[in-house]
């Protein structure tokens, strides 16, 4: 069954979430009707005139490119300009255009993963990692008999969700919560707060927090038991106890980690499932750590080789261009650890040096940044390739991952990767 364009875009957005794009970028659907059927898809680095002609002549329903057609704002798309004519032709041919640019650079796997794998690198990690998705930790206090029900409700709203575990819980010996709660509020509100306080070091506690924050399990909760003491005052409607009398209730302290984007839903579930008028809870914003997404990659060669041999591997592994492969460094230098950035990468020299890379493969190296980098005696050898060539290997990954994602939902499409070289330089003297 052929998918709709909206179905294809949904898979692409899961692979290359638009929120991962840099703030200055322009990614996503440029032309196309979300309800139109998609039978054939063409992948290319650039939405250049010749690539668009290839897509239209081949009756492709969707053209997926890495680079944007409209990176900067425009006031007109009239057919009197080259880009305007491209847009008019795409629309007339009913060919959709979708862009995955820096959101694909920052994905895992993304553009630099494909380049690194093409060069035979292993043990990949981001050169410039993005922080993990922002997470909160909810600490709620609930009568013991209602704790399991509350955990289930919070999990259904998105707390404690992960990949490899289900219904996991951590417990610790009982402890007393304190002599009294805020009597003015009926004794049921300990308080709600936002802070960056660390975990308190209870054995197993950090494991629970880390599992939730890293997406390693779910639903996950940490619980301990204590005693709540309170006296309801006039005007209160306590779920347990009597107005004017001191009550003691065995309560569970339940802790669950949640994505910050689900904060509203989880707090709503807390209030709906909790037996008290006003639940007692703390909400703690967790510190974001470096994640597995981000720009560039650091990897290692399975077998060390000298720079001359490594540069030849780069030349043999990437599409041929008039730019060729330019090298700066001692040809006899041993190369083990390699940094790569698909596309322009001379802004990353400091990170490459800090990572201890023996060689740096990227594109568009300018004279002054390159000469300054070479001036560092312990810095990496430089291997400069064409911008288009450094990003072309990603097309194969994007094609495979999209096909797999569509197949998982019962859809099939025909795909093709454009081999037209759209590098700007076409003559070398």
């Amino acid at each position: 069954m052929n998918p709709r364009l909206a179905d294809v875009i949904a898979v692409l957005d899961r692979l290359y979430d638009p929120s991962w794009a840099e703030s200055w970028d322009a990614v996503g659907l440029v032309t196309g009707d979300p309800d139109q059927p998609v039978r054939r898809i063409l992948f290319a680095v650039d939405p250049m005139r010749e690539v668009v002609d290839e897509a239209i002549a081949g009756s492709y329903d969707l053209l997926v490119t890495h680079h944007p057609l409209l990176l900067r704002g425009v006031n007109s798309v009239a057919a009197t300009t080259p880009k305007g004519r491209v847009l008019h032709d795409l629309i007339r041919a009913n060919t959709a255009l979708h862009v995955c640019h820096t959101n694909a650079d920052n994905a895992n796997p993304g553009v630099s993963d494909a380049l690194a794998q093409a060069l035979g690198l292993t043990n990949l990690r981001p050169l410039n990692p993005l922080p993990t998705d922002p997470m909160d930790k909810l600490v709620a206090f609930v009568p013991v008999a209602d704790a399991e029900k509350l955990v289930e409700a919070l999990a259904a709203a998105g707390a404690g969700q992960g990949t490899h575990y289900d219904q996991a819980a951590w417990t610790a010996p009982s402890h007393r919560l304190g002599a009294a709660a805020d009597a003015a509020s009926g004794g049921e509100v300990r308080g709600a707060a936002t802070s960056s306080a660390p975990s308190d070091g209870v054995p197993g506690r950090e494991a629970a927090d880390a599992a939730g924050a890293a997406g390693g399990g779910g639903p996950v909760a940490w619980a301990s038991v204590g005693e709540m003491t309170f006296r309801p005052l006039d005007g209160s409607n306590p779920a347990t106890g009597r107005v004017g009398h001191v009550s003691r209730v065995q309560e569970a302290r339940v802790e669950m980690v949640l994505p910050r984007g689900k904060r509203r839903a989880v707090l709503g579930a807390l209030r709906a499932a909790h037996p008290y008028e006003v639940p007692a809870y703390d909400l703690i914003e967790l510190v974001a750590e470096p994640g597995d997404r981000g720009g560039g990659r650091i990897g290692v060669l399975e077998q060390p080789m000298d720079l001359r041999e490594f540069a030849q591997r780069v030349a043999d592994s990437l599409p041929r261009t008039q730019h060729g492969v330019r090298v700066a460094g001692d040809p006899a230098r041993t190369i083990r650890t390699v940094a790569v950035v698909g596309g322009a990468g001379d802004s990353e020299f400091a990170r490459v040096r800090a990572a201890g890379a023996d060689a740096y493969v990227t594109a568009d190296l300018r004279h002054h940044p390159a000469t300054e980098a070479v001036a560092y005696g312990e810095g990496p050898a430089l291997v400069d390739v064409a911008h288009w060539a450094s990003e072309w290997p990603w097309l194969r990954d994007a094609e495979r991952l999209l096909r797999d994602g569509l197949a998982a939902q019962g859809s099939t499409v025909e795909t093709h990767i454009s081999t037209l070289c759209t590098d700007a330089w076409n003559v070398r003297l």
Side-chain angles (χ1 to χ4, degrees), residues 25-372:
D25 203 3
V27 301
L29 190 63
V30 180
T31 66
D33 181 346
D35 287 327
Q36 73 185 67
V38 175
R39 294 170 292 270
R40 308 190 74 210
I41 302 175
L42 179 66
F43 291 84
V45 173
D46 299 293
M48 303 295 289
R49 175 78 257 179
E50 55 265 45
V51 172
V52 170
D53 289 343
E54 179 185 12
I56 294 173
S59 298
Y60 288 96
D61 305 295
L62 172 62
L63 171 60
V64 177
T65 66
H66 181 51
H67 291 144
L69 177 65
L70 303 172
L71 181 58
R72 295 175 178 81
V74 296
N75 296 319
S76 170
V77 291
T80 54
T81 66
K83 290 186 177 181
R85 287 191 290 275
V86 162
L87 284 170
H88 279 257
D89 289 346
L90 286 169
I91 293 170
R92 275 196 294 262
N94 204 30
T95 300
L97 172 62
H98 185 82
V99 174
C100 302
H101 192 208
T102 54
N103 50 330
D105 289 335
N106 288 326
N108 182 12
V111 172
S112 291
D113 291 282
L115 174 58
Q117 290 164 0
L119 303 183
L121 303 182
T122 60
N123 299 327
L124 302 180
R125 67 183 191 276
L127 174 65
N128 183 13
L130 293 177
T132 54
D133 292 335
M135 304 290 289
D136 294 336
K137 180 167 70 174
L138 176 66
V139 182
F141 302 86
V142 62
V144 173
D146 298 289
E148 186 173 349
K149 174 185 174 184
L150 181 64
V151 168
E152 291 175 353
L154 297 177
Q161 296 300 317
T163 305
H164 303 299
Y165 297 93
D166 189 22
Q167 296 292 341
W170 285 260
T171 59
S174 300
H175 63 276
R176 194 176 184 85
L177 295 177
D182 184 355
S185 62
E188 294 178 358
V189 181
R190 179 178 177 275
T194 299
S195 72
S196 57
S199 183
D200 58 15
V202 176
R205 180 81 151 270
E206 288 81 0
D209 296 343
V220 175
W222 187 97
S224 61
V225 178
E227 185 178 79
M228 168 66 82
T229 304
F230 62 93
R231 185 177 67 180
L233 300 181
D234 290 340
S236 65
N237 183 25
T240 184
R242 293 185 297 161
V243 172
H245 294 265
V246 174
S247 296
R248 289 180 172 82
V249 179
Q250 288 291 108
E251 290 193 347
R253 172 185 170 119
V254 176
E255 300 190 15
M256 300 182 79
V257 174
L258 59 135
R260 194 160 300 154
K262 295 186 177 180
R263 180 186 288 183
R264 183 185 296 272
V266 170
L267 292 181
L270 168 67
R271 297 185 182 100
H274 203 287
Y276 290 175
E277 291 177 279
V278 183
Y281 68 89
D282 297 330
L283 190 64
I284 302 167
E285 293 188 351
L286 301 180
V287 174
E289 298 183 275
D292 62 358
R293 294 193 300 268
R297 290 295 181 268
I298 299 287
V300 296
L301 294 166
E302 290 188 0
Q303 295 293 331
M305 60 185 69
D306 63 36
L307 177 59
R308 181 184 289 102
E309 182 181 358
F310 177 69
Q312 188 60 55
R313 172 182 287 197
V314 173
D316 293 342
S317 302
L318 299 180
R320 296 282 181 179
T321 65
Q322 289 298 326
H323 177 285
V325 175
R326 301 188 299 178
V327 181
D330 180 359
R333 176 178 180 169
T334 300
I335 306 299
R336 296 182 179 85
T337 302
V338 179
V340 302
V341 168
D346 61 17
S347 63
E348 299 292 348
F349 278 132
R351 289 190 177 90
V352 173
R353 285 195 296 270
D358 301 309
Y360 181 30
V361 181
T362 188
D364 299 344
L365 291 182
R366 295 169 296 163
H367 174 77
H368 293 296
T371 53
E372 289 175 6

